[in-house]
Amino acid sequence: MVFLSKQNIAVLLFHRILPLRDEMWDPIDPALFKQTLDYAKKKFHVVPLSEILFNQKPRSSKPLAALTFDDGYHDFIDHAIPILDAHKMKASMYVVSDCIDKNLPTWTYVIDYLFVNTKKLQWDNFNHPDLPGEYHLVKWNTQQERINYCKKLKQYIKWIPASKRDEIINDLLINFDDVKSPHGLMMSWAEVKQINNAGFEIGSHSVTHATLATIEDDNVVEFELKESAKRITAQTGIVPSVFSYPIGSYDERVKKLTKKAGYKAALAVNKKMYAPERDDIFEIPRIELYNESWLKTKMRVNGTVSYLNKFRNR
C-alpha cells in the first residue's frame, strides 16, 4: 500500500561526494555535504524514502525529507556514509547494474574521462554526418578547446536516439585509444549488499544508464528495467521496488513500462518538492544538488530555487 502525505517533501539527489575537484563533473565536497546535512537536520525530519512512499507517514512537526544517491560510486562508502552515520541518517542508492558488473562508471563519465585524459587533438575518421555542423569541427588547437567540445557534445547526445549515441561513444573509445579505462570507481556487489545490510536502501538505475525516453524499442526499455532488477536480486538478494530514471529521461510510455516491470515507484529529477497529492508516484521529483556555494545549496534544499523557477516560468 502507498501512503500519501498532503505535505510537500524534499527528496534530495546526490551523486558523488569527494574532496577532489573535477572540471567536467565536480563532486560535492564532503564539507559541503556535511553542511547540507546539518541544515537538513534542523529544517526537516529526514527519513528513508520507503517510509514516505510505502509505510505510514512518520509523525513530525517538521516537513519530511529523504536522501537519494544515483549510480553506485565507491566514494559513497568512503566519504558519504561516515557523514551520514554521524548525523544518524540513511539514504537510498540506485545502482547501474552494468557499472557494478564491470567496475566502470557511466557512459557520461567515460566521455568526460576520454576527452580530459587523451593527448590527441583530433577525432580521426569522424563519420557522423547527421550531427549538427558545429560538432564536425573535430580538430582542436588546445586541450581546453577539446574539453569545451566535449561539454557541448555530451549535452547534445544525451537526448538523441540511444542507438546513435552508442555509435558515437564506441567511435570515441576507438579514437582515444591512448586512454586506459577508468576502472575502480564503483562499488562491488558485495559492497552494495553490505550497505543495504547497514540500512541503506537499494534501487535500480538501469543496466547501462540509458536515457530511456530516447529508446524507440519497448523491448530494449524493458531490458533496462527488468535486467537491472534481476542482477541486483541475483547478486545481493535485494528485490528493488524503486527505479531511478537515468538523466531524468522518461515519458508516459516509459512510466507504463516501469510499472509493468514490477516497480512500485520511480524517481525523476524535475528540481522541485514532491507533492504526493499532485505528483505521480512514477515521476517523483527530486532536487539535485551540486558542488556550489552554500547560499545556492541552501536555496535548493529549502525549495527557494524551485519556487523562483516556477514564478519565472509563469
Side-chain angles (χ1 to χ4, degrees):
M1 182 179 295
V2 176
F3 293 89
L4 299 181
S5 165
K6 292 184 178 181
Q7 184 183 61
N8 286 357
I9 299 163
V11 183
L12 305 182
L13 168 59
F14 303 90
H15 285 86
R16 306 192 67 194
I17 310 298
L18 197 66
L20 300 177
R21 305 280 49 91
D22 186 330
E23 177 184 353
M24 304 301 282
W25 183 42
D26 202 21
I28 293 177
D29 189 270
L32 178 59
F33 183 60
K34 178 183 180 301
Q35 193 172 13
T36 303
L37 295 195
D38 288 342
Y39 180 71
K41 192 168 187 177
K42 293 177 182 177
K43 183 174 179 62
F44 300 102
H45 180 41
V46 180
V47 297
L49 185 60
S50 64
E51 290 191 22
I52 294 171
L53 298 181
F54 310 126
N55 301 325
Q56 187 66 47
K57 183 175 73 70
R59 294 180 179 275
S60 176
S61 59
K62 296 180 180 179
L64 298 177
L67 311 176
T68 69
F69 283 76
D70 281 355
D71 298 341
Y73 284 94
H74 198 278
D75 51 59
F76 178 73
I77 294 174
D78 299 330
H79 298 286
I81 286 183
I83 299 171
L84 287 162
D85 285 348
H87 287 76
K88 294 181 171 56
M89 293 180 180
K90 298 299 181 184
S92 304
M93 169 61 75
Y94 302 91
V95 299
V96 182
S97 61
D98 242 17
C99 293
I100 306 299
D101 279 334
K102 299 174 181 177
N103 201 359
L104 280 170
T106 63
W107 65 265
T108 47
Y109 182 98
V110 169
I111 287 179
D112 287 347
Y113 189 83
L114 289 171
F115 274 90
V116 168
N117 289 283
T118 185
K119 302 301 181 184
K120 296 184 177 182
L121 290 174
Q122 185 168 327
W123 184 343
D124 295 321
N125 302 315
F126 175 87
N127 186 27
H128 301 284
D130 49 341
L131 285 178
E134 63 184 297
Y135 299 110
H136 294 201
L137 304 175
V138 292
K139 188 173 183 179
W140 312 286
N141 294 313
T142 65
Q143 177 184 4
Q144 191 59 51
E145 282 188 11
R146 187 182 66 229
I147 288 174
N148 291 342
Y149 176 93
C150 172
K151 290 178 179 179
K152 293 190 298 181
L153 177 69
K154 186 175 73 170
Q155 292 305 314
Y156 179 79
I157 67 174
K158 283 180 179 180
W159 309 112
I160 65 176
S163 57
K164 180 59 184 176
R165 181 175 58 250
D166 290 343
E167 289 179 15
I168 293 170
I169 294 170
N170 289 333
D171 195 2
L172 289 170
L173 287 167
I174 293 170
N175 186 73
F176 297 139
D177 57 0
D178 60 328
V179 180
K180 293 183 178 180
S181 297
H183 286 279
L185 298 178
M186 312 305 294
M187 289 187 284
S188 67
W189 284 119
E191 288 168 329
V192 172
K193 186 175 182 178
Q194 174 187 332
I195 66 171
N196 180 250
N197 290 339
F200 296 94
E201 299 172 352
I202 303 299
S204 170
H205 197 35
S206 81
V207 177
T208 67
H209 204 248
T211 48
L212 299 183
T214 69
I215 300 174
E216 297 177 351
D217 188 338
D218 285 0
N219 291 326
V220 177
V221 176
E222 288 184 339
F223 172 83
E224 292 283 344
L225 293 162
K226 294 179 180 179
E227 186 61 25
S228 57
K230 287 181 181 178
R231 288 298 294 159
I232 292 170
T233 303
Q235 293 296 316
T236 66
I238 301 162
V239 179
S241 59
V242 180
F243 186 84
S244 170
Y245 300 119
I247 316 180
S249 175
Y250 69 95
D251 53 21
E252 289 300 318
R253 174 181 62 104
V254 170
K255 284 166 53 179
K256 290 177 181 177
L257 291 172
T258 303
K259 186 174 183 179
K260 180 182 175 183
Y263 294 98
K264 298 178 182 178
L267 306 176
V269 182
N270 298 348
K271 301 179 181 181
K272 62 182 181 180
M273 294 284 188
Y274 171 42
E277 75 284 0
R278 176 197 66 207
D279 296 319
D280 188 333
I281 199 169
F282 280 88
E283 55 177 307
I284 295 169
R286 291 183 292 175
I287 299 169
E288 185 172 5
L289 299 178
Y290 311 94
N291 193 58
E292 54 192 356
S293 71
W294 168 238
L295 175 61
K296 192 69 175 286
T297 299
K298 184 178 178 180
M299 289 174 66
R300 290 190 192 279
V301 172
N302 64 28
T304 303
V305 170
S306 300
Y307 176 79
L308 292 175
N309 288 339
K310 180 179 180 181
F311 184 78
R312 187 180 298 118
N313 293 330
R314 283 180 178 176

